[in-house]
């Protein structure tokens, strides 16, 4: 893939808590220049003005996922009302680790139902999960009506995306859902490896540097 093709898979991301409005403006300008699919910003940055060809993504229940589903649903709905096209929600890892899959599904569905017109990605924090938990999270996400499953917040101490996790997620959802690789992707080789493993969206903060390595 050339850099323009890769750029169209990128959510150009800035989620540090200390991010300012000026930082977000810089990211939006970069996204427009690089040709990325979207910008991904925290909910407190919304609304933002973006060029017509750049989508707006935000996060929900971020970064821990340890929120009541009603709170996540309300946060997501407010973000969409403020102009977000896509919402990346963090799964409830307590419920995942307890194997309460009906409740995991209900957590995701609460957000799905709150934003029927927006695209929903479910962050499963794959580095903190067993293979069996990754598969079960993907299955719960699909049952709940999610559009994508996503590897990581990039904030968990267990780590970010891995080729193994992306490949397992893609094998589980096949072509029915998208797979977003995010967290710790810092080089062109990393990005291309994730795409090869099955990712069709990338969450990157180092988008410019990564694309600069490509033809």
């Amino acid at each position: 893939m050339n850099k323009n093709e890769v750029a169209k898979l990128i959510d150009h991301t800035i989620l540090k808590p200390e991010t300012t409005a000026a930082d977000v403006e810089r990211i939006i300008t970069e996204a427009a220049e690089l040709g990325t699919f979207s910008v991904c910003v925290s909910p407190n940055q919304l609304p933002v003005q973006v060029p017509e060809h750049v989508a707006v993504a935000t996060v929900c229940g971020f970064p821990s996922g340890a929120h009541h589903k009603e709170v996540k649903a309300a946060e997501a709905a407010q973000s969409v009302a403020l102009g977000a096209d896509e919402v990346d929600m963090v799964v409830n890892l307590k419920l995942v680790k307890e194997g309460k899959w009906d409740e995991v599904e209900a957590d995701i569905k609460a957000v799905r139902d709150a934003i029927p017109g927006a695209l929903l990605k479910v962050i499963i924090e794959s580095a903190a999960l067993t293979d069996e938990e990754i598969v079960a999270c993907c299955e719960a996400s699909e049952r709940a009506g999610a559009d994508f499953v996503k590897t990581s917040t990039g904030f968990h101490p267990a780590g970010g995306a891995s080729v193994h996790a992306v490949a397992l997620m893609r094998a589980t959802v096949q072509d029915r859902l998208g797979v977003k690789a995010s967290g710790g992707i810092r080089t062109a080789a990393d990005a291309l490896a994730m795409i090869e493993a099955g990712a069709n969206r990338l969450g990157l903060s180092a988008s410019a540097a990564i694309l600069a390595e490509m033809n």
Side-chain angles (χ1 to χ4, degrees):
M1 298 182 74
N2 64 43
K3 68 178 180 180
N4 292 329
E5 293 169 328
V6 173
K8 290 180 173 64
L9 306 181
I10 294 175
D11 293 338
H12 192 34
T13 301
I14 186 163
L15 294 172
K16 290 181 179 179
E18 67 271 23
T19 297
T20 65
D23 294 328
V24 171
E25 285 298 318
R26 174 177 55 80
I27 288 295
I28 291 170
T29 299
E30 288 180 359
E33 292 172 350
L34 295 169
T36 68
F37 182 85
S38 76
V39 292
C40 183
V41 301
S42 297
N44 69 328
Q45 304 291 347
L46 298 170
V48 294
Q49 296 297 316
V50 296
E52 188 174 343
H53 65 280
V54 178
V56 177
T58 192
V59 290
C60 171
F62 195 88
S64 71
H67 307 67
H68 292 293
K69 64 181 183 293
E70 295 83 2
V71 174
K72 291 180 181 177
E75 181 181 33
Q78 183 178 24
S79 291
V80 171
L82 291 173
D85 302 298
E86 304 189 354
V87 174
D88 294 19
M89 70 167 287
V90 186
V91 77
N92 190 318
L93 289 169
K94 169 187 181 291
L95 299 177
V96 171
K97 286 298 182 180
E98 291 174 349
K100 296 179 178 177
W101 300 112
D102 288 346
E103 293 181 50
V104 172
E105 181 181 346
D107 180 62
I108 300 165
K109 192 172 187 303
V111 177
R112 172 74 286 168
D113 290 348
I115 53 166
L119 188 140
L120 176 62
K121 310 188 200 86
V122 179
I123 306 172
I124 69 171
E125 213 65 276
S126 57
L129 306 183
T130 65
D131 283 3
E132 291 76 15
E133 290 166 343
I134 288 172
V135 170
C137 274
C138 290
E139 292 172 342
S141 298
E142 183 172 2
R143 290 195 303 271
D147 300 292
F148 270 74
V149 285
K150 174 179 170 181
T151 58
S152 321
T153 61
F155 285 73
H156 199 287
S162 69
V163 167
H164 172 76
V166 169
L168 181 58
M169 292 161 71
R170 175 54 70 198
T172 303
V173 303
Q174 297 290 309
D175 60 355
R176 300 183 299 275
L177 273 66
V179 175
K180 178 176 173 179
S182 184
I185 302 170
R186 298 186 178 90
T187 68
D190 291 340
L192 293 170
M194 297 301 170
I195 295 168
E196 178 68 22
N200 60 324
R201 193 77 70 86
L202 301 172
L204 305 179
S205 57
S207 309
I210 288 171
L211 292 172
E213 295 181 42
M214 299 182 181
N215 296 319

